Amino acid sequence: MFALMKAARLEALHLTRDPVTGLEAIIAIHSTRLGPALGGCRFLDYADTESAVRDAMRLAQGMSYKAALAGLELGGGKAVLIRPPHIGDRCALFQAFGRFIETLGGRYITAVDSGTSSTDMDCIARQTRHVTSTTDEGDPSPHTAEGVFAGIRATARARLGCEELEGLRIAVQGLGHVGYALSERLAAAGAELLVSDLEHSRVQRAVEHLGARPVASDALLREPCDILAPCGLGGILNGESVGTLRCAAVAGAANNQLAGPEVADLLQRRGILYAPDYVINAGGLIYVALRHRGESDQSIGAHLGGIRLRLSAIYARSLAEGCSPARIADEEAERLIYG
Ligand code: NAD
């Protein structure tokens, strides 16, 4: 485990269990060099504890990089709650998790993530103030979608020479909280939408309300399009799938889209412009961090606007140096965190 922590440059790993509620939780703190570690808590099924720990560590590192490049005075962390086979009192379980967060004295601040909701955050908030995205503070997803939409425009400008999206063919994989809100914005901007989701009803809604064309999930990546926007799960870009892509750029919300760092170079060699995921999808983090600090809508809006500028600067460096945008983003984040 220490070798894994060393490889990821992880600062701390905390584990707890509460036999009364069935809570089994892991908090990975990647870095607190720039501020307290903020990152969501997942509540999912895991095959075993080790895969849950690995997930938490990997995601915590991504949060550090995301916060650093978003210009927030925050470090990165992530919590994973292993979903028990039987949940008795869900709120009691999240309250037990809240007590665990409180023991860390503010070094970790939690938020909504896969499998959790603002109602769960409300339960945590009964035990600690180190929690964001409660029902009072609101859902970060629309802000993530807004940032991704701005990032898609920056990507279109860099790769296609024009940031107007009218008439561009954009393929959205995953129509959940972020993917659907993004599709609404893309449709309003006049883009031609291709969509897929594992849940038929979500596809049907996009077809009926946004005029989108449905595509089978396993076929979407191979569809000819201008921009592919992955908004489902991570890891979809690997040696095999990149070979079949027929798009000019990839720019979407999903975390950890690249199966490994070498995939960024494959995309670069194929002339496919890649928007580093933790740069383009930072809108939700920016929202929860600034809302938690009590900042105004105006200040949050101004900060969200930075996503487009940051991506454009990364693309300019990528073009000048012939290096993938993902490598440029990693390098800049590491410089900000480690000096
Ligand atoms: P969500 O669970 O609401 O939606 C994900 C959707 O993707 C679901 O409808 C699911 O059926 C679909 N999906 C999964 N795999 C698919 C596949 N192979 N093909 C087609 N559809 C597939 O999640 P979300 O909150 O919308 O987040 C989407 C992604 O964005 C996740 O990777 C998440 O980590 C990332 N992200 C979300 C936020 C946020 O604010 N919610 C912020 C940053 C990053």
Side-chain angles (χ1 to χ4, degrees), residues 169-301:
R169 182 181 282 192
I170 303 184
V172 181
Q173 183 190 52
L175 295 167
H177 291 98
V178 181
Y180 193 83
L182 171 66
S183 298
E184 287 178 317
R185 287 168 172 77
L186 294 171
E192 181 192 344
L193 276 184
L194 310 184
V195 297
S196 77
D197 197 286
L198 303 178
E199 283 194 33
H200 179 68
S201 60
R202 295 185 174 176
V203 174
Q204 207 46 40
R205 181 159 74 126
V207 170
E208 282 168 19
H209 298 284
L210 308 177
R213 175 156 73 79
V215 177
S217 282
D218 55 355
L220 190 82
L221 298 192
R222 299 190 298 274
E223 280 288 321
C225 60
D226 294 298
I227 295 175
L228 170 68
C231 298
L233 292 183
I236 62 145
L237 301 173
N238 54 44
E240 203 181 320
S241 65
V242 166
T244 66
L245 294 180
R246 294 164 76 193
C247 57
V250 177
N255 277 316
N256 298 325
Q257 291 169 34
L258 305 176
E262 69 290 350
V263 180
D265 303 325
L266 289 178
L267 287 161
Q268 176 82 356
R269 282 202 290 280
R270 286 214 52 210
I272 297 172
L273 188 62
Y274 173 68
D277 45 20
Y278 60 81
V279 180
I280 193 170
N281 73 13
L285 174 65
I286 291 169
Y287 174 78
V288 296
L290 300 191
R291 177 61 81 227
H292 191 61
R293 248 190 250 161
E295 295 203 18
S296 66
D297 288 347
Q298 200 183 7
S299 149
I300 294 171

Side-chain angles (χ1 to χ4, degrees), residues 24-234:
E24 288 186 349
I26 299 142
I27 295 178
I29 296 182
H30 177 261
S31 168
T32 52
R33 291 173 79 117
L34 299 179
L38 196 157
C41 62
R42 296 198 155 183
F43 187 49
L44 300 174
D45 295 321
Y46 282 89
D48 50 50
T49 309
E50 193 181 323
S51 47
V53 169
R54 281 177 186 271
D55 204 25
M57 287 170 65
R58 191 175 50 93
L59 291 161
Q61 183 179 22
M63 292 308 295
S64 275
Y65 284 31
K66 190 185 296 200
L69 274 190
L72 300 166
E73 287 159 356
L74 287 172
K78 205 79 172 189
V80 165
L81 279 61
I82 300 174
R83 202 182 162 86
H86 167 74
I87 305 166
D89 184 339
R90 184 173 172 121
C91 192
L93 185 145
F94 278 94
Q95 285 194 61
F97 180 56
R99 288 192 289 277
F100 180 38
I101 293 173
E102 185 62 16
T103 64
L104 301 180
R107 291 180 61 245
Y108 170 70
I109 304 168
T110 202
V112 158
D113 205 304
S114 305
T116 59
S117 68
S118 291
T119 315
D120 298 326
M121 299 305 112
D122 292 347
C123 295
I124 294 173
R126 293 188 200 170
Q127 304 293 334
T128 181
R129 64 193 166 84
H130 306 301
V131 53
T132 66
S133 45
T134 54
T135 45
D136 271 356
E137 291 184 1
D139 177 10
S141 306
H143 307 279
T144 305
E146 190 181 328
V148 174
F149 178 72
I152 286 179
R153 291 183 56 169
T155 306
R157 171 176 279 282
R159 180 63 179 80
L160 305 165
C162 170
E163 65 177 38
E164 290 313 317
L165 304 182
E166 188 159 10
L168 288 193
R169 182 181 282 192
I170 303 184
V172 181
Q173 183 190 52
L175 295 167
H177 291 98
V178 181
Y180 193 83
L182 171 66
S183 298
E184 287 178 317
R185 287 168 172 77
L186 294 171
E192 181 192 344
L193 276 184
L194 310 184
V195 297
S196 77
D197 197 286
L198 303 178
E199 283 194 33
H200 179 68
S201 60
R202 295 185 174 176
V203 174
Q204 207 46 40
R205 181 159 74 126
V207 170
E208 282 168 19
H209 298 284
L210 308 177
R213 175 156 73 79
V215 177
S217 282
D218 55 355
L220 190 82
L221 298 192
R222 299 190 298 274
E223 280 288 321
C225 60
D226 294 298
I227 295 175
L228 170 68
C231 298
L233 292 183

